[in-house]
Amino acid sequence: MATTPATERQSDTPGVPTPPDLLRARRRLHTKLKLATQIGEGIDGYIIGGIGMAMGALTTDLHLTTVMEGLVGASPLIGIFVGGPLFGRLADRYGRRPVFLVDMLIFLVGSVLQFFVADGLQLFLIRLVMGIAIGGEYAIGAPLLSEYAPRKGRGRLLASLEISWYVGYALATVVGAVFADVHGGWRWTLASSAVIALVCVALRGGVPESARWLLSKGRREEADALIHRYGIEIDVTAELADTARSEHGGLRALFTRRHLKSTVFASVFWAALVLPYFSIGTFWTQVFDALNMGDNAVAALLVYSFTAVAGVTAGCLVVDRIGRRRLLIPPFWITAAALALVAVWPTSTPVIVGGFLFFIFLNAASSALTAVYPLEVFPTALRATGVGFATAMSRVGAAIGTFLLPMGLDRFGARFVLLVGAGVLAVGGLVSHFLAPETTDLDLADAARTPAP
C-alpha cells in the first residue's frame, strides 16, 4: 500500500491514532537523544563549576600569577569562541551525527589529561581545547535535539538542557567541596568529568542523523525513511521551501540582510545573560571576600549554585506557557536592578543576600532560553552555524569578564564590578525588547521566518 508523501503531511495527523510500535520507536529515540544531549550540556556546567571550587588550591599548588589565574579561569570560554563556529559549520556541512560523537571524545581525553598537569600553561591549554569541545556541544547537541522535537512542548524540552547545565555546575561544586581538604584534591575535581563523558560517548553511538538536515542537503529518500520510521513531526513542505530560500555560505550568510537581526539578537542576549554569571561564579570567593561577608564562601557558592538550578527549572516549566519574550525581557531589567542595588548598598547583609538571590534565580530562569531561542531564529541550513556563532559571541563576553574580574576587584573593588554587570544586563534587556521574536509553538521552519516585533 502506498504511503502518504512526507511533503503532504506532518506525522501525527490530528484525529488519527499513532500506531503503538511507532510510539515506542519515537519514545526510545527521544529518550536517547535527550539523555545524550542533556549529559553533554551537564558536562559544560560541570567543567565551569569545577574550576570555581578548585581555583584557590590549584593557584597555590601551581604558583599561578594573577594573569595566569584569569587565563585558566577563562580558557574554556576562549575555546568556545573557536569551537562554536568551527563545529557548527562542520555540523551544517557534514551532518549532525558524526560531530555529535567526536565532540564528546574530546571531552573524555581532556578530562583525563587535567589530572596530570604540572603548571598553569598546561592546564590553560588543555582547558582551552575542552572549551573548543564545549563550543561544539552547543553548536550540535541542542540543534540536533530541536530538529527531532515536536512543535508543542519544544521550548520545555530544549530548556531542560539548561537545567542539565546548572545541575552539572552544582554537582561540580559538591564534588569540589568533597575534595577541598584533600591534598591535590583539585586534580580529582577537574578530572572527574571523565566519568560523565564516558557515559555520554556510549549513549551517542546509535543516534541517527537529523531528518531536517538530510532535507536541507537534498537527501529526500533518507529523510523520508527517518520521518516514517519514527513518526517525526516535520512540516516538510515548509522545510523544503525554507531550504530553497536559505543561503549556504556559512558564516557569511549570518550577516546577510535576511539573517543579521537574528545573529545580533542571539549573540547579544546570550552574552548579556552569561557574562555576569560566569564572572561572578568563577571568582565567587574573591567577590565574597570583597563584600566582607566572612568565611562562608563555600557554603554561599553552594547556595548560589542550587538557587540557579531552581531558577532554570522554573524557566523550563513556564517557557511554553508565558512565551519567550516574557521570560526574557522583564528578568533582564530586574536582575540589572538587583546587582545595582548590591553595588550601591554593599554594607547591608540583607541587601547583598537578597540582591544576589534575585539575580541568580531570575538570570538562571531566563538562561533556559539560551537553549531555545538561538535554535528557533535560524533555518536548518544555518542552524548549527548560527548557534555556534552565537555561542562564540556569548563566550567572548564571558571570557573577557572572567579574565578582567580579578583585576577589576583588585583595582576598583566589588562595587565597580557589580555596576558593570548591571549595565551588561540592561543592554541585554534593551536589545531583546527590539529584536526578540515570539516563536512559541511554531514549527522550526516557521519560527525562523518570524520577524522581530
Side-chain angles (χ1 to χ4, degrees):
M1 183 173 67
T3 58
T4 303
T7 51
E8 298 176 6
R9 76 176 208 350
Q10 295 182 7
S11 60
D12 293 344
T13 304
V16 178
T18 304
D21 57 339
L22 193 62
L23 282 174
R24 286 193 295 271
R26 181 197 304 169
R27 191 177 298 117
R28 285 195 298 268
L29 174 61
H30 281 178
T31 299
K32 189 168 189 175
L33 270 172
K34 186 177 178 181
L35 285 174
T37 311
Q38 284 180 327
I39 293 173
E41 291 281 329
I43 287 179
D44 180 8
Y46 193 94
I47 289 169
I48 302 297
I51 197 67
M53 291 297 292
M55 185 64 77
L58 71 85
T59 296
T60 301
D61 286 359
L62 299 180
H63 309 291
L64 302 187
T65 64
T66 301
V67 173
M68 184 55 73
E69 185 181 1
L71 285 172
V72 168
S75 54
L77 308 177
I78 299 170
I80 290 171
F81 175 73
V82 177
L86 174 63
F87 279 82
R89 181 60 182 145
L90 290 174
D92 276 339
R93 186 169 184 178
Y94 298 109
R96 313 315 197 204
R97 186 175 182 273
V99 180
F100 197 45
L101 182 59
V102 170
D103 178 67
M104 192 51 55
L105 290 171
I106 296 174
F107 275 121
L108 179 59
V109 174
S111 297
V112 173
L113 290 178
Q114 288 181 107
F115 186 86
F116 301 100
V117 296
D119 55 45
L121 179 59
Q122 290 180 5
L123 185 59
F124 166 74
L125 292 174
I126 291 171
R127 290 181 67 81
L128 182 69
V129 173
M130 294 179 75
I132 293 173
I134 291 173
E137 187 63 30
Y138 276 108
I140 180 56
L144 177 59
L145 182 60
S146 74
E147 289 169 2
Y148 273 99
R151 179 171 55 86
K152 293 286 187 180
R154 183 180 64 238
R156 179 179 295 185
L157 176 63
L158 296 176
S160 70
L161 299 179
E162 285 301 297
I163 297 178
S164 301
W165 192 98
Y166 283 96
V167 168
Y169 191 101
L171 180 61
T173 64
V174 173
V175 172
V178 169
F179 287 111
D181 296 326
V182 177
H183 179 67
W186 61 268
R187 295 181 184 273
W188 292 102
T189 297
L190 298 184
S192 59
S193 56
V195 177
I196 307 173
L198 187 61
V199 173
C200 201
V201 167
L203 279 172
R204 294 187 175 188
V207 170
E209 186 53 86
S210 163
R212 290 182 186 266
W213 180 82
L214 291 170
L215 287 170
S216 76
K217 295 299 180 181
R219 294 161 64 174
R220 176 66 183 279
E221 291 185 2
E222 295 172 72
D224 281 350
L226 283 173
I227 291 169
H228 287 287
R229 179 179 179 184
Y230 296 109
I232 304 167
E233 183 184 317
I234 297 180
D235 187 339
V236 180
T237 301
E239 189 69 46
L240 291 172
D242 202 56
T243 297
R245 297 172 60 237
S246 295
E247 297 87 352
H248 292 266
L251 285 173
R252 288 177 297 176
L254 298 178
F255 300 95
T256 60
R257 184 175 180 179
R258 182 185 174 200
H259 301 297
L260 182 59
K261 286 184 179 180
S262 296
T263 302
V264 172
F265 163 63
S267 301
V268 173
F269 101 83
W270 199 344
L273 281 174
V274 302
L275 189 154
Y277 186 88
F278 279 168
S279 301
I280 294 172
T282 300
F283 294 101
W284 174 251
T285 301
Q286 293 90 322
V287 173
F288 201 78
D289 290 343
L291 292 171
N292 299 312
M293 289 295 289
D295 300 321
N296 298 314
V298 172
L301 182 57
L302 291 172
V303 173
Y304 187 105
S305 299
F306 284 99
T307 300
V309 172
V312 73
T313 301
C316 177
L317 292 175
V318 303
V319 63
D320 287 323
R321 295 185 179 183
I322 68 174
R324 315 307 196 228
R325 283 176 59 85
R326 289 183 180 179
L327 183 58
L328 182 65
I329 298 170
F332 260 133
W333 296 110
I334 296 171
T335 53
L339 286 189
L341 183 62
V342 175
V344 171
W345 205 347
T347 57
S348 171
T349 299
V351 169
I352 293 172
V353 173
F356 271 120
L357 288 179
F358 265 106
F359 161 68
I360 299 162
F361 184 87
L362 289 177
N363 179 270
S366 293
S367 291
L369 289 168
T370 63
V372 180
Y373 250 142
L375 311 169
E376 295 180 336
V377 298
F378 295 106
T380 298
L382 289 173
R383 183 165 294 118
T385 301
V387 173
F389 181 81
T391 300
M393 293 300 100
S394 74
R395 269 38 180 193
V396 166
I400 290 172
T402 302
F403 176 67
L404 294 180
L405 187 140
M407 290 177 275
L409 283 174
D410 287 343
R411 179 167 295 188
F412 302 109
R415 176 176 294 183
F416 172 80
V417 168
L418 293 173
L419 285 174
V420 170
V424 169
L425 292 166
V427 169
L430 191 65
V431 170
S432 298
H433 177 80
F434 289 105
L435 295 183
E438 185 53 74
T439 55
T440 304
D441 288 343
L442 297 177
D443 183 81
L444 278 181
D446 295 326
R449 293 196 294 266
T450 303

